[in-house]
Amino acid sequence: MAARMDAALTCTGRLREVTGVEIDDEGREVPAYATRWTGRCLIYPADRDATVVDVGGATTPLARYTVLLPAEVDVRIGHVLDVTVSPDNPRLVGAVFRIADAPLDAWAAVRHVMAERIEGGIWS
């Protein structure tokens, strides 16, 4: 069963953790990251409609996604997932998702987590 699940994970992603703050080329503070995992995954919308939220006085759509990762991946709330390859939907490449929920379960084939994509790259 694990081999069939692996074949269904058609995207490739990079899971990162915020480790601090650094200064970018323009002198702004931006998150510093450490890569925790790179490999196959699958991402698909959990909801059809995004929720509009207020972020720093501006409104932005917040969309929730289901993310499937191999069972051995140590994923935690707050980790960031970048999509690097998506043959079924090339528009996902470059998308950034923040892991919002990473429940443990007994299904050993894949980890099923929830992520949020905020348009405009706030988490990137």
Side-chain angles (χ1 to χ4, degrees):
M1 180 163 170
R4 280 188 282 158
M5 289 306 301
D6 187 57
L9 303 179
T10 58
C11 297
T12 302
R14 174 180 62 165
L15 194 64
R16 301 180 296 156
E17 179 179 13
V18 175
T19 58
V21 176
E22 59 189 18
I23 305 299
D24 70 6
D25 295 337
E26 297 178 12
R28 296 178 299 194
E29 289 186 352
V30 295
Y33 295 99
T35 299
R36 297 294 178 220
W37 172 85
T38 300
R40 295 169 57 110
C41 59
L42 182 64
I43 302 159
Y44 56 91
D47 302 316
R48 289 283 179 218
D49 299 317
T51 302
V52 176
V53 296
D54 181 39
V55 178
T59 58
T60 188
L62 176 70
R64 292 183 63 88
Y65 287 77
T66 298
V67 178
L68 301 179
L69 302 165
E72 68 274 6
V73 175
D74 182 21
V75 59
R76 299 180 186 202
I77 295 170
H79 281 175
V80 175
L81 179 72
D82 307 322
V83 179
T84 57
V85 176
S86 179
D88 298 324
N89 185 355
R91 292 181 300 166
L92 272 178
V93 174
V96 179
F97 300 86
R98 184 186 68 83
I99 303 302
D101 192 15
L104 295 175
D105 60 36
W107 194 32
V110 293
R111 286 291 306 270
H112 180 158
V113 302
M114 298 302 294
E116 298 169 340
R117 179 177 182 199
I118 299 180
E119 302 293 332
I122 292 172
W123 297 105
S124 60

